Amino acid sequence: PDIDIDFCFERRGEVIDYLVQRYGSDRVAQIITFGTMAAKAAIRDVGRVLNISYGEVDRVAKLIPNDLGITINRALEVSRELRAYYEEDPKIKELIDLARQLEGMPRHASTHAAGVVISRNKLMEHLPIQKTTDGAVTTQFAKETVEEIGLLKMDILGLRTLTVIRDALENIKLNKNIELDINDLPLDDSKTYELLSQGDSTGVFQLESSGMKNILKNLKPERFEDIIALVALYRPGPLGSGMVEDFIDRKHGRRKTDYLHEDLKPILQETYGVILYQEQVMKIASTLAGFSLGQADMLRRAMGKKKPEVIAGQRKNFMEGALKNGVTGDVAGQIFELMEYFAGYGFNKSHSAAYALVAYQTAYLKAHYPVEYMAALLTSIMDNMDRVPVYIEECRRMGIKILPPDINESLIDFTVVDDKIRFGLAAVKNVGRSAIENIIKARIAGGNFRSLEDFCERVSVNKRVLESLIRCGAFDSLGFKRSQLLAGVEICLELGQKRMQEKASGQLSLLDMGMDEYQGTAGIELPDLPEFPSRELLAMEKDMIGFYVSGHPLDAYKKYLHQESLNSVDSLFQAPDGEPVKIGGMINSVRQVVTRKGELMAQFTLEDFTGTVGCIAFPRTYERFHHLIQGDQVVVIEGRINCQDEEVQVFCQVIRPPTKEKKAHEKLYIRINNDRDPKELDQIQKILLNYPGDIPVYLYNKKTKKSFVVQKKYWVSGSEDMISHLENLLGLGNVVLWRK
């Protein structure tokens, strides 16, 4: 039998430990797997041995298409450029010929992600075993051989979604004081089906791809059987055959559901007359032709694997059995042909139902306990830099506020605080788990931290950890500016270490003796400095956590980007090679490249609210749009997807600013004492550059009573932060944002 069982991702090891204890360490082992030389890997490995330069080897490897299972021989047939290299350069010919001989050979051994073998007798009586470097016992035969010699192979899988459900239930119990039984949910919950019918399935197991969201909106599931069908339908075969559209049209009555025989109705009614499951094929054979379940399973297997000679024999048996049960030959033939056609796309219903149940459970949690569920989901993918921005943006869309890490509220992972989600301290760069545990322990023992000095006296951390916590905003709730806190780090650390040593040696300062409870306010006064500009504060968060939390540089452009009907960056990683796309966001990391012909092109990244993607502007495109390809520039890009070496890039064709709605005409006037004071002008320029936009800036000289417009690169967005910084520098009444 083929037995697959999914367990909580974090507790899979406990299941394997249980199996070893239950059946014996000499009768249970994990299964080995061999990584083989794929076409590109063979080219690269041989190139290293032959001492061919990395650039040449890389160029050859990139000419091999990314198709799954592509061989070097096939690549030589489809790639003219690769063939030309092979025929014209003897060194490359030797490289490819040697790689062809190695292709497909085992390259390395590792432990199979799921496979576990259990034997009645000692495993060594059946097959060779070995110990891995981490002490686990594995077979030396791969899973196919293990099955062939008659041993029971089970797939013990770790499913992250089950861990998310567990953590969500703990969050619900902690925050709502509700003990929810996930196995006793009502399967007819209208709120859950409404969420799915709207395609609001980001974070829902199996149902969150863009294609699945479109089908959900068209299908509008109303019962659990619809979700089972959806999981079975969303595969390449049914999608390409038109089954999905047929299923949706029948559900909504746009196409009539007919049954070739009345006995088919109870079998196919739940799928609107479409043969969708393998079990339906078996049931039809059993009901209409009198097949035993064993015979019906053989028919299903033959149809699924498209074995013509076996199917022909089974057709004869089916026709004879159907005639005995009163089905006419013509109808029996049509039914068999229908079964044969759909069996190639048929899916195992029990598998689909199990996954549909987990999908429903996650949708239910998202619909009824969105904050608790999203906190658990964010915790599960905290280390995935591609997925966290997607779920943070989903939280914002749902109206859930995401709070930055906080030394007085954060735990290790994401937590729920007053229906908001607070970042965990584990997300902060340079802050290790032991430091986090010390912070939480000190907080439990002595209450909330009251100042930077108080923190340094109660928690032993180094300068790097402390600065990382300040830069990400973890000390913001204490009421000090980050600029002040960073300026006071060294003196607070010095005093904190001194007082820790005094306490450890039993010495008491006069301050300790004169206070019932130390309030953490002794002596140190932080310098009164202006706060960093908002863009710099956001950049600190991004640097320390990997994401923007308290805001996003694109917030001012969100409305304009939304009206452009753009593809989100995270959706590009599911798009096929060559597909046209339109994306919008902020340009980062621009790098100019000179081609062999001496022309300029550019490589850069584009960031939106869901992630980043690499972009390439080839010489012709770069020549037209180079003025827009600048760091921090907000643009809309039209281009095509390029998938190479498992990397997704966008080849740019058109780059332009986002289209803006017509709005009030604005100008910013700044009164200055002297337009020839370089120090004052330099400070003004720095502030203006932090808030780029399309509002013209005029400098008004108080002495000459003349004004002039500054260069366009100093034009601004008109934010309140910017006006506040200018007023701090120049005084109230000297900065005026004029609107007509």
Side-chain angles (χ1 to χ4, degrees), residues 162-214:
L162 297 179
T163 310
V164 172
I165 291 173
R166 179 202 67 185
D167 291 348
L169 295 178
E170 288 178 5
N171 289 341
I172 293 164
K173 183 178 178 182
L174 192 65
N175 293 285
K176 297 278 197 290
N177 200 25
I178 296 172
E179 289 204 34
L180 188 67
D181 184 353
I182 200 68
N183 297 311
D184 193 30
L185 300 180
L187 293 179
D188 58 354
D189 180 66
S190 59
K191 198 171 180 181
T192 302
Y193 289 112
E194 184 183 344
L195 176 139
L196 293 175
S197 296
Q198 291 171 353
D200 185 11
S201 58
T202 299
V204 175
F205 180 64
Q206 293 279 302
L207 307 182
E208 62 177 333
S209 70
S210 55
M212 186 64 91
K213 287 178 181 178
N214 289 333

Side-chain angles (χ1 to χ4, degrees), residues 415-694:
T415 50
V416 178
V417 181
D418 298 329
D419 283 334
K420 303 177 185 72
I421 296 176
R422 174 73 73 182
F423 251 86
L425 294 174
V428 185
K429 199 183 291 182
N430 306 323
V431 181
R433 192 160 284 261
S434 61
I436 297 169
E437 288 170 355
N438 288 339
I439 291 168
I440 295 171
K441 198 181 296 181
R443 200 167 69 204
I444 292 169
N448 282 355
F449 302 107
R450 292 166 284 273
S451 68
L452 182 63
E453 182 184 344
D454 179 30
F455 181 89
C456 292
E457 291 177 15
R458 291 163 58 190
V459 183
S460 179
V461 293
N462 60 37
K463 182 181 177 183
R464 192 181 185 202
V465 169
L466 193 56
E467 286 183 339
S468 297
L469 288 167
I470 293 169
R471 288 169 66 83
C472 76
F475 281 87
D476 285 4
S477 62
L478 298 184
F480 297 95
K481 302 166 188 168
R482 289 186 213 175
S483 56
Q484 292 178 284
L485 293 165
L486 287 171
V489 163
E490 290 192 9
I491 191 168
C492 286
L493 275 174
E494 188 180 334
L495 181 65
Q497 288 168 0
K498 184 181 175 185
R499 287 182 61 79
M500 278 185 176
Q501 289 168 2
E502 288 174 354
K503 287 178 182 177
S505 62
Q507 296 177 11
L508 290 174
S509 68
L510 289 172
L511 180 66
D512 289 322
M513 294 172 68
M515 295 178 67
D516 293 331
E517 182 185 355
Y518 175 59
Q519 298 297 314
T521 56
I524 297 176
E525 190 172 324
L526 297 175
D528 186 13
L529 298 172
E531 184 57 290
F532 299 112
S534 61
R535 178 164 286 200
E536 199 170 330
L537 294 173
L538 287 173
M540 287 180 182
E541 289 177 12
K542 179 78 182 288
D543 187 38
M544 288 297 106
I545 312 174
F547 325 100
Y548 297 111
V549 182
S550 58
H552 197 288
L554 288 172
D555 283 341
Y557 297 87
K558 195 166 191 175
K559 179 174 66 172
Y560 307 122
L561 292 171
H562 181 70
Q563 68 193 26
E564 292 274 4
S565 301
L566 303 169
N567 301 92
S568 62
V569 163
D570 71 304
S571 70
L572 303 185
F573 298 91
Q574 301 166 7
D577 190 28
E579 180 166 296
V581 292
K582 184 165 76 165
I583 55 176
M586 185 171 66
I587 290 177
N588 294 315
S589 310
V590 180
R591 186 166 72 91
Q592 276 190 346
V593 179
V594 181
T595 68
R596 289 180 185 174
K597 294 180 180 179
E599 298 174 312
L600 283 177
M601 57 178 282
Q603 296 176 339
F604 59 92
T605 58
L606 187 92
E607 178 174 13
D608 73 358
F609 294 98
T610 66
T612 60
V613 67
C615 300
I616 296 179
F618 290 110
R620 189 179 296 177
T621 306
Y622 185 68
E623 186 180 354
R624 288 179 62 199
F625 305 110
H626 67 275
H627 61 289
L628 291 170
I629 304 175
Q630 310 289 337
D632 295 338
Q633 182 77 34
V634 177
V635 296
V636 170
I637 295 174
E638 295 174 37
R640 289 189 177 276
I641 290 287
N642 177 62
C643 303
Q644 286 292 327
D645 286 340
E646 299 179 2
E647 182 183 359
V648 173
Q649 293 178 316
V650 174
F651 286 174
C652 306
Q653 295 167 332
V654 175
I655 303 173
R656 59 175 174 80
T659 304
K660 294 193 175 184
E661 297 171 340
K662 191 174 180 181
K663 59 180 183 179
H665 187 61
E666 296 175 316
K667 293 179 184 178
L668 180 71
Y669 286 97
I670 301 173
R671 294 191 183 98
I672 56 174
N673 292 317
N674 185 350
D675 60 14
R676 300 191 187 280
D677 180 353
K679 188 177 178 183
E680 187 176 70
L681 288 174
D682 184 54
Q683 289 175 300
I684 292 170
Q685 285 176 2
K686 283 180 180 175
I687 294 172
L688 297 179
L689 286 171
N690 276 318
Y691 301 92
D694 56 3

